[in-house]
Amino acid sequence: MRVSILSDMRRFKRSMNTIEKKEFPLIVRNSLLDTGVKTQSKLRNQTYGQAFTPRQKQFAKITTSLGTGSPARFQSGAALKKGVERRREIVIFDRTSKPYMQRHSIGGTKRPINGTNIAIPGRKTVEPKRTGRGIRKSLRPTAVLDQKKAFRTKVNGQDVIARRKGKSKYPIEVMYLMEPSATIRKTYNFYEDSALSFRTEFPLAFRRNFNARMKKVLKTTF
């Protein structure tokens, strides 16, 4: 008695080729999406809080947006799924495109664009009121100086923008420190934590999605 499985093997190979073409892009897409979401969560809940004082949750969300493309474009829902599947990539990026976020991520020196000084927001007066869109217009240096109680002065030799709290000459509150430049220390491990999370999460996500899809396909195909 002779038993041959050649014809069955040919059919099996053709089926597996079809499965690979159809299922592999979905496995990769789902793995990238899972990895992107988990990395995004780590950046928002751990990395951001270690670098900054979290005052506006919305700002942390905007600066860790998901999307695709170069330059990156924000996407969500079905559009994000299609973009990831088509490009086989997922991007986590700062939707505000604020240069100071980049400087906090890599370090650097901030210099004035116009004039001879830059205004550094007061830690107790202006900085706590920063929102997801930045410092509101009414608290920006030129707007503060337009107020009757505000003025330029020196405090212990430091050039500042200050304003009186009441009608009296004192007390005053420092709104901005005026400096010719400011050194920004690297405090935000955005790139390092993103890379570490991706290297850790993607293999796990790929294995999980591969096994799940193959289990489902093999049940319905053979």
Side-chain angles (χ1 to χ4, degrees):
M1 180 179 177
R2 178 179 297 175
V3 178
S4 176
I5 61 170
L6 288 178
S7 60
D8 288 338
M9 286 301 296
R10 292 192 189 98
R11 183 173 66 85
F12 179 78
K13 286 181 179 179
R14 286 195 299 269
S15 297
M16 289 305 295
N17 288 337
T18 302
I19 291 171
E20 181 181 358
K21 290 179 182 178
K22 181 181 179 181
E23 299 297 332
F24 189 75
L26 294 177
I27 293 170
V28 171
R29 182 200 70 182
N30 293 342
S31 300
L32 285 171
L33 287 169
D34 291 349
T35 301
V37 169
K38 285 203 171 185
T39 300
Q40 181 189 60
S41 178
K42 288 181 179 180
L43 290 172
R44 290 176 176 179
N45 299 323
Q46 298 177 25
T47 307
Y48 185 88
Q50 291 170 357
F52 308 105
T53 302
R55 300 186 184 93
Q56 293 289 332
K57 292 183 179 180
Q58 189 62 28
F59 189 65
K61 292 180 179 179
I62 292 174
T63 56
T64 53
S65 297
L66 292 177
T68 60
S70 181
R73 184 178 64 174
F74 171 68
Q75 293 171 314
S76 62
L80 179 61
K81 287 184 178 181
K82 289 181 180 178
V84 172
E85 185 173 355
R86 183 175 65 254
R87 301 179 70 98
R88 294 192 179 182
E89 69 169 18
I90 192 165
V91 180
I92 302 178
F93 68 105
D94 175 12
R95 225 191 313 169
T96 69
S97 299
K98 298 291 186 182
Y100 67 82
M101 293 298 291
Q102 178 73 359
R103 281 194 290 267
H104 279 294
S105 299
I106 62 176
T109 302
K110 183 179 181 181
R111 301 185 186 281
I113 299 175
N114 298 313
T116 57
N117 293 100
I118 59 173
I120 302 173
R123 291 183 179 179
K124 296 181 179 180
T125 53
V126 178
E127 190 61 37
K129 299 177 182 178
R130 186 189 295 275
T131 69
R133 296 182 178 180
I135 296 172
R136 63 176 184 260
K137 291 182 179 180
S138 62
L139 283 178
R140 292 175 187 173
T142 52
V144 171
L145 284 172
D146 285 339
Q147 299 172 12
K148 291 182 179 180
K149 295 181 180 180
F151 51 93
R152 288 277 295 266
T153 187
K154 287 185 180 293
V155 176
N156 296 326
Q158 171 69 58
D159 191 13
V160 302
I161 296 176
R163 70 180 180 187
R164 296 183 179 89
K165 288 187 176 182
K167 294 182 179 180
S168 302
K169 188 175 181 180
Y170 295 102
I172 64 173
E173 53 185 358
V174 175
M175 305 300 290
Y176 288 91
L177 304 179
M178 305 304 291
E179 293 283 356
S181 64
T183 300
I184 307 298
R185 294 188 301 108
K186 179 184 175 300
T187 57
Y188 187 29
N189 293 325
F190 178 88
Y191 297 108
E192 294 84 351
D193 289 0
S194 296
L196 178 61
S197 177
F198 189 90
R199 288 195 299 267
T200 302
E201 296 294 342
F202 184 78
L204 299 175
F206 187 88
R207 189 179 304 117
R208 183 172 61 251
N209 282 291
F210 181 86
N211 290 338
R213 293 298 300 183
M214 288 300 100
K215 184 178 180 180
K216 181 178 179 179
V217 168
L218 292 175
K219 278 185 177 180
T220 58
T221 305
F222 300 102

